[in-house]
Amino acid sequence: MITKAKIIEAYKFRHACKLFDTTKKISDSDMNFILETGLLSPSSFGFEPWHFIVVQNPELRTKLKESAWGATAKLDSASHFIIGLTMKAPLTKYDSPYIEDFMRNIQELPENVIVQKGAAYEAFQKSDFDLSDDRKLFDWASKQCYIPLANMMTSAAMIGIDSCPIEGFNQSISEKILKEDLGVDTNLYGLSYMVAFGYRVNDPRPKTRRSLNNMVTFK
Ligand SMILES: Cc1cc2nc3c(=O)[nH]c(=O)nc-3n(C[C@H](O)[C@H](O)[C@H](O)COP(=O)(O)O)c2cc1C
């Protein structure tokens, strides 16, 4: 087993890296490892309401800079630059063909369980969480998409790879670019975040955080 000290070391190693070394590229094997830790992330009902686009094409990266003010230096320097997309209502609503297909072909559930789980998912959306409009449904799914984000950044840190999560963009202009230049069906997917991976140029300033006592209440 990996030691606690090593795990904390990785968490401290991870920081929001502002500038990456353009001479260093993440190997395919390391990038697949990072993506696999995203894939293994938990999600509500296990429906994995996310999709990732790895943008390596320089022209597309330049295009993204038009709306992603918080990503400019990262788009120029990151070894790998990922767009984190969240599924929208036509895919995530309880009665969508995606959900039924997912239960049958990905989760490999028997038919009677598909009916039961489908009913529970419908009740959850209608009453438990009040996911009654498309925006609420998107925001609920988007919250889940931050779980693979966190896992990917931490697993990257564990193998000495830096990252930066990015919400510094205009969402609607970015989605227009995703639609027109990257072929994303924006009826089905919305933009939650971007995340850059690579190797640092500069060391970060020491971490500043609240104390555990300030963050947690035990009752
Ligand atoms: C959801 C989210 C969005 C962020 N957006 C940006 C961004 O657009 N540009 C940037 O340089 N850093 C961004 N950050 C990084 C934060 O500023 C950073 O994580 C925070 O200041 C703590 O510093 P540390 O990650 O280095 O420990 C973002 C972080 C999160 C979690």
Side-chain angles (χ1 to χ4, degrees), residues 146-170:
Y146 284 75
I147 302 172
L149 169 66
N151 284 336
M152 290 192 290
M153 293 193 299
T154 305
S155 66
M158 285 178 167
I159 57 169
I161 291 174
D162 290 301
S163 61
C164 186
I166 297 153
E167 278 182 339
F169 51 79
N170 179 299

Side-chain angles (χ1 to χ4, degrees), residues 112-143:
N112 63 322
V113 178
I114 291 174
V115 173
Q116 283 164 13
K117 185 168 174 168
Y121 189 53
E122 178 175 355
F124 176 81
Q125 291 199 350
K126 282 184 172 168
S127 49
D128 292 330
F129 257 55
D130 181 23
L131 303 173
S132 50
D133 66 51
D134 288 2
R135 176 62 198 251
K136 285 179 180 167
L137 204 51
F138 176 78
D139 288 344
W140 168 73
S142 184
K143 284 192 289 184

